[in-house]
């Protein structure tokens, strides 16, 4: 395959690129892709629109793709019932005042008008009406002005604007446009029926300015009527946003937010501005054409961006990458497998940020206001602190957490940014075989790869330490360091004679103290002049059978792997085909290990402990830590040991992480509960956890200061006879005594999530998730609707 110098196979053995899970196609042409990625995470509009979508920097765990901040929280306002009562009272009050005005029941109502008009327009006296036509016209205009003031005052008193915003504008289009159109039609009807004094005052004012002769022209009258009708509708058009609604209906509006516009000459994201800034205009033009013609997907974009970032520090790599882009376009710098996408996706991914969406924050008081309704996502910056998920069977740990995370890491591996090792039971839901480069099916004769028990190392002491952790790390009364010493006393001499470590049958014979096997090894060491290793073997012979000898326990545990079902596996000699985890050190591999949990449960747990011990050791010893490496254990029951807890703590500083799932925290020895929960930066409790597990999570998540309100009701005792009579009448009608509320506001420290809330109040399909980044940023425990 053509890797363009981006990925190189180094040597053989642990450094050799392993064969793919299935038979690779013979030099296939680059696959044809749709205009966008295969999942709607990049949108149906294609990669170009996907690149333009804004991704604002937000708090840890926020799904950044197209994120829109929530409007600021509004203080508790007036209830809907109070608003409706206020509107009704204001309308009735306005109608009453207007009726009293029109019928002359309000005294001195004409005094302000008479102060600003000639006296000969009016009859004498305070209640004298208009005497001339000019006085009648002035009264008409005066009443129109007063009517407008009355409507304005009633609107302010009844809070009409708030009820409009809450129940009309808040429902959005097209309801807003239809409601305002109905309001405008009603206003036109009232105006032209003279129920609202508007037409006559306008005609009087126009006549006073332009003269009465203007109405001799019917055209002028029609124009005035048209202007009045438009003036009545104009406020409703502004309130209902009729112009924007019409533009949207005609197809001129945009339903999706656009990215903030940059300078006029600035290249857009799909034009590869980083390449243009470096002077690689030809490569940028080639990739821009690939994006706009739909020949690239999101994996290609992420892979080439990463290759460009890596190549900026190495001119020879940059030159090779530029040449490959000009020759192959979006198919340049391919993953060693030649794949450009996964066969199928089950979650939403954004490869520019490395995020995978798990769900959405529920609208719950436990969640901060700004986070409610926002998406929740995981990324390497969070997985780098490792994640522990606890929940009963059927809670959705595999389908809603493990599978999306494995899928995301596999996509990032195709982009050259990560390597993933997924471990689960045979027949699990970690993904199809063609989504991985290596599939190790332990116990399945059809498996292409075996598993290396020694982790690809050649150091007997290192191999003994890791193997001892897998064999007896869960035995509380046995020191794994003594077990490692026993194994080293056998592995070193065997390797000195045979050039490789023993297979399972040979190791079992040595641990059992088989005289023939031990004697043959002793003779070979003497004949080869390996005196130091001979002393090691003699020391093991002297210690055999002593008090506290870990040999029998080691022999019993290794016997779990010395079964007919595992006979073709764990070979170490000539013709062996083991897969070593050391391949993850420098290659962006996608690896899956299937364990025979149903038929060999104890052996599967032993192998899981061994994988975890090897992973923490190899990840911490990497020289090149630019590649993010993650281990995903679908079931970590009876897997965690004190040494692996210390190893998980070290992953944060070496650009690696782990995701472990448990049915209950009690699947871990009780002495490790505190250390285990403290080693993980991210914790997740699924619905259905027990109160015991809930208590441990409540302690991890701590407490917060909250403001509480306590209301105490005190009986009201009246001294006056009339007041006592009123209180008695009220009690007779309502059935309750007259009381007075006393409100006490205090700040108290309360658990973020209590054990009972986690055990009994989490809805099905939900989980509580706390997050920590490798930089130390925290997100409080959030109630997440998985898949929402």
């Amino acid at each position: 395959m053509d890797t363009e110098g981006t990925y190189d196979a180094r040597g053989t053995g642990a450094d050799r690129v392993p064969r793919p899970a299935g038979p690779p196609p013979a030099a296939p042409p680059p696959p044809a892709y749709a205009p966008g990625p295969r999942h709607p995470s990049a949108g149906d509009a294609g990669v170009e629109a996907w690149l333009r979508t804004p991704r604002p920097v937000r708090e840890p765990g926020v799904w950044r793709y197209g994120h829109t901040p929530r409007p600021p929280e509004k203080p508790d306002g007036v209830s809907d019932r109070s608003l409706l009562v206020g509107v009704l009272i204001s309308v009735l009050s306005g109608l009453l005042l207007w009726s009293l005005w029109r019928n002359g029941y309000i005294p001195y109502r004409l005094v302000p008008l008479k102060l600003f008009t000639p006296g000969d327009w009016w009859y004498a006296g305070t209640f004298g009406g208009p005497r001339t036509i000019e006085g009648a016209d002035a009264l008409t205009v005066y009443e129109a002005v007063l009517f407008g003031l009355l409507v304005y005052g009633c609107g302010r008193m009844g809070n009409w604007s708030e009820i409009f915003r809450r129940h009309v504008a808040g429902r959005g289009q097209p309801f807003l446009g239809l409601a305002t159109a109905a309001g405008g039609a009603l206003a036109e009807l009232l105006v032209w029926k003279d129920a609202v004094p508007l037409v006559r005052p306008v005609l009087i004012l126009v006549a006073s300015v332009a003269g009465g002769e203007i109405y001799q022209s019917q055209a002028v009258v029609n124009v005035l009527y048209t202007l009045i009708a438009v003036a009545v509708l104009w406020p409703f058009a502004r309130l209902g946003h009729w112009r924007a609604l019409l533009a949207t209906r005609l197809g001129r509006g945009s339903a999706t937010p656009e990215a903030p516009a940059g300078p006029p000459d600035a290249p857009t994201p799909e034009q590869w501005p980083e390449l243009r800034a470096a002077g690689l205009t030809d490569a940028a033009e080639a990739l821009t054409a690939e994006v706009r013609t739909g020949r690239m997907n999101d994996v290609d974009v992420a892979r080439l961006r990463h290759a460009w970032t890596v190549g900026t520090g190495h001119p020879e790599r940059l030159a090779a990458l530029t040449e490959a882009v000009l020759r192959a376009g979006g198919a340049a710098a391919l993953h060693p497998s030649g794949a450009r996408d996964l066969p199928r996706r089950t979650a939403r991914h954004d490869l520019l940020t490395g995020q995978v969406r798990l769900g959405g924050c529920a609208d719950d008081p436990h969640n901060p206001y700004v986070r409610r309704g926002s998406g929740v996502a995981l990324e390497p910056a969070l997985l780098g602190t490792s994640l522990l998920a606890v929940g009963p069977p059927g809670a959705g740990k595999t389908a809603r957490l493990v599978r999306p995370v494995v899928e995301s890491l596999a996509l990032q591996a195709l982009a050259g940014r990560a390597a993933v090792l997924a471990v689960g039971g045979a027949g699990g839901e970690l993904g199809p075989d063609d989504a991985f480069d290596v599939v190790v099916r332990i116990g399945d004769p059809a498996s292409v790869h075996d598993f290396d028990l020694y982790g690809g190392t050649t150091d007997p002491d290192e191999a003994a330490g890791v193997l001892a952790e897998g064999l007896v790390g869960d035995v509380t009364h046995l020191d794994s360091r003594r077990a490692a010493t026993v194994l080293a006393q056998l592995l070193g001499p065997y390797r000195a004679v045979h050039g490789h470590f023993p297979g399972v049958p040979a190791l079992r014979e040595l641990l059992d103290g088989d005289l023939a096997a031990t004697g043959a090894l002793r003779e070979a060491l003497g004949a080869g002049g390996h005196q130091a290793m001979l002393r090691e073997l003699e020391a093991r012979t002297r210690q055999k059978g002593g008090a506290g000898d870990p040999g029998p326990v080691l022999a019993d545990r290794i016997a779990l792997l010395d079964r007919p079902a595992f006979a073709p596996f764990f070979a170490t000699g000539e013709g062996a085909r083991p897969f070593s985890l050391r391949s993850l050190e420098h290659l962006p591999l996608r690896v899956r290990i299937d364990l025979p949990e149903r038929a060999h449960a104890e052996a599967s747990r032993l192998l899981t402990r061994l994988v975890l011990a090897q992973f923490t050791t190899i990840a911490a010893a990497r020289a090149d830590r630019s590649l993010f490496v993650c281990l995903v254990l679908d079931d970590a029951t009876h897997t965690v040991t004190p040494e692996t807890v210390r190893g998980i703590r070290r992953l944060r500083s070496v650009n690696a992480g782990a995701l472990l799932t448990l049915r209950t925290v009690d699947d871990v020895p009780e002495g490790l509960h505190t250390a285990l929960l403290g080693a993980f930066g991210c914790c997740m409790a699924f619905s259905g956890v027990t109160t015991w597990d809930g208590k441990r999570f409540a302690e991890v998540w701590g407490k917060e200061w909250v403001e509480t309100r306590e209301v105490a009701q005190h009986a009201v005792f009246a001294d006056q006879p009339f007041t006592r009579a009123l209180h008695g009448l009220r009690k007779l009608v309502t059935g309750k005594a007259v009381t007075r509320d006393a409100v006490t506001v205090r700040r108290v420290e309360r658990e973020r999530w209590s054990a009972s809330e986690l055990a009994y109040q989490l809805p099905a399909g939900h989980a509580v998730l706390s997050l920590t980044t490798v930089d130390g940023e925290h997100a409080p425990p959030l109630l997440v609707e998985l898949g929402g």
Side-chain angles (χ1 to χ4, degrees):
M1 65 186 69
D2 186 8
T3 63
E4 317 300 348
T6 306
Y7 309 105
D8 295 316
R10 309 177 188 177
T12 59
D15 293 333
R16 177 172 51 85
V17 181
R19 288 174 289 175
Y33 288 93
R38 298 184 182 181
H39 195 273
S41 60
D44 295 333
V47 177
E48 185 175 355
W50 174 71
L51 284 169
R52 288 173 174 259
T53 303
R55 295 166 175 82
V57 178
R58 304 299 298 173
E59 298 82 4
V62 175
W63 174 252
R64 293 169 51 190
Y65 177 79
H67 174 74
T68 302
R70 192 174 186 185
E73 185 176 9
K74 295 181 179 179
D76 295 336
V78 184
S79 64
D80 291 345
R81 179 178 179 181
S82 299
L83 279 176
L84 293 175
V85 171
V87 169
L88 181 61
I89 291 176
S90 64
V91 171
L92 294 178
S93 299
L95 292 176
L96 177 61
L97 287 175
W98 186 245
S99 177
L100 294 176
W101 171 273
R102 295 295 298 266
N103 291 284
Y105 289 105
I106 297 180
Y108 310 108
R109 64 190 187 96
L110 299 180
V111 171
L113 180 59
K114 291 180 180 180
L115 292 176
F116 294 98
T117 54
D120 55 356
W121 287 7
W122 312 95
Y123 288 107
T126 304
F127 296 96
R131 183 177 181 180
T132 63
I133 295 177
E134 290 82 359
D137 293 343
L139 178 59
T140 300
V141 176
Y142 178 57
E143 287 182 344
V145 173
L146 290 180
F147 182 82
L149 294 176
L150 178 63
V151 171
Y152 176 78
C154 290
R156 292 296 301 271
M157 181 182 69
N159 208 358
W160 295 2
S161 59
E162 176 62 23
I163 200 169
F164 175 80
R165 284 194 298 268
R166 187 178 302 184
H167 295 287
V168 180
R171 299 182 63 174
Q173 299 287 13
F175 180 82
L176 175 60
L178 294 175
T180 52
L186 179 61
E188 292 282 3
L189 179 63
L190 295 176
V191 166
W192 297 109
K193 290 291 185 180
D194 278 338
V196 174
L198 180 61
V199 177
R200 290 182 60 196
V202 170
L203 296 178
I204 290 172
L205 290 175
V206 172
S208 64
V209 174
E213 297 80 3
I214 193 174
Y215 297 119
Q216 294 179 1
S217 173
Q218 186 62 36
V220 173
V221 174
N222 292 338
V223 169
L224 287 176
Y225 285 167
T226 302
L227 292 176
I228 292 173
V230 172
V232 171
L233 290 178
W234 181 79
F236 295 94
R238 290 291 302 273
L239 291 174
H241 303 288
W242 292 0
R243 182 178 180 182
L245 178 61
L246 182 62
T248 303
R249 293 298 178 182
L250 294 178
R252 293 194 295 266
S254 177
T256 58
E258 296 182 355
D265 298 333
T268 51
E270 77 278 3
Q271 294 178 331
W272 301 82
E274 61 272 19
L275 269 65
R276 296 178 187 274
L280 304 177
T281 308
D282 294 340
E285 291 292 344
L287 293 178
T288 302
E290 293 275 303
V291 170
R292 290 179 173 173
T293 55
R295 293 194 296 268
M296 289 182 68
N297 65 355
D298 53 348
V299 178
D300 296 330
V301 174
R303 185 186 68 251
L304 290 175
R305 283 195 171 191
H306 176 72
W308 159 255
T309 303
V310 173
T312 50
H314 303 82
E316 67 283 357
R317 290 189 182 182
L318 190 59
L321 177 63
T322 304
E323 181 183 354
V325 167
L326 295 176
R327 184 177 69 254
L334 285 178
H335 184 265
S337 66
R340 297 173 65 180
D341 202 352
L342 296 181
R344 58 181 176 271
R345 305 186 188 184
T346 61
R348 297 186 62 187
H349 303 274
D350 182 27
L351 290 178
L352 286 189
T353 58
Q355 290 186 318
V356 53
R357 182 183 173 109
L358 299 183
C361 280
D363 189 3
D364 186 87
H366 285 93
N367 291 337
Y369 173 81
V370 295
R371 295 299 300 269
R372 298 174 194 171
S374 63
V376 177
L378 292 177
E379 57 185 302
L382 297 171
L383 294 174
T385 63
S386 299
L387 190 153
L388 176 67
V390 179
K397 301 188 298 296
T398 300
R400 299 182 178 181
L401 174 64
V402 174
R403 175 69 182 271
V405 169
V406 171
E407 197 173 86
S408 174
L409 293 171
L411 287 171
Q412 294 184 58
L414 293 180
R417 301 187 306 200
V420 57
L421 171 62
V423 182
E429 302 177 356
L430 301 183
D433 292 351
D434 48 0
F436 295 91
D437 303 310
V438 177
V439 177
V440 181
R441 298 183 181 90
I442 298 178
D444 185 355
S447 177
V448 177
H449 296 278
D450 297 340
F451 181 71
D452 189 351
L453 293 178
Y454 305 100
T457 183
T458 58
D459 183 0
D461 293 324
E462 181 182 350
V466 175
L467 185 58
E469 194 63 34
L471 292 176
V472 296
D474 61 327
V475 181
T476 56
H477 65 274
L478 182 61
D479 188 358
S480 60
R481 290 174 295 183
R482 293 192 61 188
T485 301
V486 170
L487 288 172
Q489 290 171 343
L490 297 175
L491 297 181
Y494 190 95
R495 178 174 176 78
V497 171
H498 298 281
H500 56 80
F501 292 122
V504 170
L507 181 59
R508 181 182 180 183
E509 290 178 351
L510 293 174
L511 289 172
D512 283 334
D514 183 79
L515 296 179
T518 305
L521 182 59
R522 183 182 295 108
E523 292 179 2
L525 288 172
H530 303 290
Q531 297 301 320
M533 292 302 173
L534 184 59
R535 287 194 299 270
E536 287 285 294
L537 183 61
E538 294 297 339
R540 173 60 199 146
T541 304
R542 291 192 302 270
Q543 295 170 1
K544 180 179 179 299
D549 180 23
V553 180
L554 289 169
D556 291 341
R557 287 299 178 88
I558 201 67
L560 295 173
L561 302 181
D562 191 16
R563 306 295 301 162
F566 302 139
F569 288 84
F570 315 126
T572 57
E574 293 292 335
R577 49 178 187 177
F579 169 75
S580 172
L581 298 191
R582 291 193 179 274
S583 300
L584 300 173
E585 287 185 339
H586 51 80
L587 292 173
L589 291 178
R590 304 165 294 165
V591 182
R592 194 187 78 205
I593 299 178
D594 293 344
L595 301 175
E597 290 183 344
R598 297 178 181 177
H600 304 277
E602 192 62 31
S604 296
R605 294 171 183 171
L606 187 153
L607 291 171
T608 306
R609 285 194 302 271
L610 184 58
V611 169
L612 180 57
Q614 287 187 7
F615 178 82
T616 54
T617 301
I618 293 172
R622 288 187 303 162
D624 182 7
R625 298 173 179 174
S626 59
L627 196 69
F628 178 73
V629 182
C630 189
L631 168 67
V632 180
L633 293 183
D634 191 28
D635 185 5
T637 302
H638 302 298
T639 299
V640 179
T641 66
E643 184 60 34
T644 54
V645 169
R646 288 189 286 269
I648 289 172
R649 286 199 187 102
R650 293 193 296 266
L651 295 180
R652 182 180 305 194
S653 60
V654 296
N655 196 25
L659 190 159
L660 275 63
T661 67
L662 294 170
R663 295 183 177 92
T664 173
V665 181
D666 289 331
D667 288 339
V668 176
E670 185 175 358
L672 291 177
H673 289 177
T674 301
L676 176 69
L677 293 172
F680 286 84
C682 305
C683 295
M684 195 169 187
F686 283 75
S687 60
V689 296
T690 63
T691 52
W692 292 272
D693 289 340
K695 180 181 178 180
R696 298 182 182 99
F697 280 108
E699 293 174 352
V700 170
W701 290 329
K703 301 179 179 181
E704 63 178 344
W705 288 98
V706 296
E707 192 175 84
T708 62
R709 295 170 59 90
E710 297 179 358
V711 180
Q713 293 183 338
H714 302 284
V716 178
F717 299 97
D719 297 330
Q720 302 299 325
F722 181 72
T723 307
R724 285 200 299 271
L726 290 178
H727 287 185
L729 178 62
R730 178 177 175 181
K731 183 176 182 181
L732 180 64
V733 173
T734 62
K736 298 180 181 179
V738 179
T739 59
R740 180 177 63 249
D741 293 343
V743 181
T744 303
V745 180
R746 296 188 303 171
R747 283 180 57 82
V748 297
E749 200 174 18
R750 181 175 296 174
E751 290 178 329
R752 300 178 185 271
W753 282 89
S754 66
S756 60
E757 288 175 332
L758 290 172
Y760 301 113
Q761 296 186 14
L762 288 188
H766 289 66
V768 179
L769 172 65
S770 65
L771 300 170
T772 304
T773 68
V774 291
D775 296 330
E777 294 185 70
H778 294 271
L782 305 170
L783 178 61
V784 180
E785 181 183 0
L786 299 174

